[in-house]
Structure formats: structure tokens, C-alpha cells
């Protein structure tokens, strides 16, 4: 499943990328761009804007109107609708910043990220994920636990949606 996400749903885009979904999002994407991208690349369009949603419907595009009030509810409703499991697997995750593909770096070739992370971090970890597009480096630091907890919360909200 591939997505294009409107400017108001940045957090939704972030969690789609982290769960391994190719997701186009940038802060100043306009409605016409989003429609063209959805149509030409066969992507599902997620929008908080009713008018854009209607335009997508008129063109018979796969679109979802995301109107829930909180970020958590937005993420849960999108995952629920598309049948996405709220689980972060770094071997399939996309770069949260740019949607690039991540390369797994192990102890053998960890020199590749030496200049890209703090020395303390470099020494503390043997596995990293390097974005091939923007050179961002990810590792299973403290924020990892927070992300896992957050996915659990989304899972709970999805259960409520199921009723
Ligand atoms: Zn990147």
C-alpha cells in the first residue's frame, strides 16, 4: 500500500513510513499536486480536507477523509481502514524524515555511520539504519521504546473502532 498525504496530516505520514509504507508527504504540498501524484502513481490519498476528498472521489481515486480530532485517533482510523498492523519493523521501515529506503548497518560495516552520529551513540550500538536518500541514521535508542508504546496505544484505539 502506497500513500500520498496532505499537508495537515504530517503525523499520520510519519507513522505510515515507520510501519514500512511508501508515503509521499511534504509540508507545502497543494491539492492539485496531491491529486496528480495519487492518480499517476496509484497511491491512496489521505486528506483532512472535504473538498479535496470530493475531488479525489470524482476522479475515482482511492481516498480517505481523515476528520478525527486527535492525532492518535487519526492514526488509528487510517490504520484500521487500510488494515495496517501497528508494528514498527526497521527492516521494512522507510525514513521518517524523507521516505527514503533504509539500509541496515551491522557491526561489520558500522564505519559507514561513524561521522553521522554522536561518538557516544556510535560506541553504544552495533546496529543502525541509514537512509540512502538523506543520510539520517536510526538506532534502537530510548525513543524506540516510546514508539513501541505508541503503537500499542494505536492498537488499543483500533480495537475500540472494531467495536
Ligand atoms: Zn531520509
Amino acid at each position: 500500500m502506497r500513500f500520498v498525504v496532505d499537508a495537515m496530516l504530517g503525523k499520520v505520514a510519519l507513522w505510515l513510513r515507520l510501519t514500512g509504507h511508501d508515503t509521499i508527504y511534504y509540508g507545502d504540498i497543494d491539492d492539485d499536486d496531491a491529486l496528480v501524484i495519487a492518480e499517476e502513481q496509484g497511491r491512496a490519498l489521505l486528506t483532512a480536507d472535504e473538498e479535496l476528498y470530493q475531488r479525489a472521489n470524482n476522479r475515482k481515486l482511492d481516498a480517505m477523509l481523515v476528520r478525527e480530532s486527535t492525532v492518535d485517533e487519526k492514526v488509528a482510523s487510517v490504520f484500521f481502514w487500510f488494515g495496517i498492523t501497528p508494528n514498527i519493523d526497521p527492516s521494512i521501515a522507510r525514513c521518517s524524515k524523507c521516505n527514503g529506503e533504509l539500509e541496515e548497518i551491522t557491526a561489520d560495516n558500522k564505519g559507514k555511520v561513524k561521522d553521522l552520529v554522536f561518538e557516544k551513540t556510535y560506541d553504544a550500538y552495533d546496529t543502525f539504519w541509514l537512509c540512502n536518500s538523506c543520510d539520517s541514521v536510526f538506532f534502537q535508542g530510548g525513543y524506540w521504546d516510546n514508539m513501541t508504546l505508541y503503537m500499542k496505544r494505536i492498537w488499543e484505539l483500533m480495537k475500540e473502532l472494531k467495536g
Side-chain angles (χ1 to χ4, degrees), residues 8 23 25 34 40 56 58 96 126 128 140 143 145-146 153-154 157:
M8 286 178 282
T23 302
Y25 165 82
E40 288 183 349
N58 293 342
S96 57
D126 275 330
F128 297 89
Q140 290 178 317
Y143 67 91
D145 297 330
N146 292 340
R153 156 128 183 94
I154 295 304
L157 287 172

Side-chain angles (χ1 to χ4, degrees), residues 71-139:
V71 170
D72 297 4
E73 286 166 350
K74 287 182 173 77
V75 173
S77 69
V78 168
F79 278 34
F80 182 73
W81 182 260
F82 290 99
I84 294 168
T85 305
N87 178 44
I88 297 172
D89 175 356
S91 67
I92 58 164
R94 312 283 295 211
C95 176
S96 57
K97 292 179 188 156
C98 81
N99 195 42
E101 291 189 39
L102 301 182
E103 176 191 355
E104 186 169 343
I105 305 292
T106 57
D108 297 340
N109 60 350
K110 93 178 204 180
K112 268 184 133 170
V113 299
K114 191 168 178 44
D115 297 334
L116 300 172
V117 294
F118 291 113
E119 199 177 332
K120 227 166 62 179
T121 306
Y122 183 78
D123 291 339
Y125 295 90
D126 275 330
T127 305
F128 297 89
W129 288 270
L130 170 64
C131 174
N132 285 323
S133 299
C134 76
D135 274 355
S136 289
V137 177
F138 304 89
F139 53 93

Side-chain angles (χ1 to χ4, degrees), residues 26-39:
Y26 43 99
D28 57 355
I29 190 166
D30 72 27
D31 290 1
D32 292 319
D33 288 347
L35 285 168
V36 168
I37 290 168
E39 193 154 37

Side-chain angles (χ1 to χ4, degrees), residues 44-62:
L45 172 68
L46 305 183
T47 179
D49 181 82
E50 184 133 22
E51 193 193 319
L52 177 56
Y53 175 71
Q54 286 306 336
R55 289 176 67 196
N57 263 345
N58 293 342
R59 296 191 189 197
K60 308 254 184 290
L61 300 175
D62 187 5

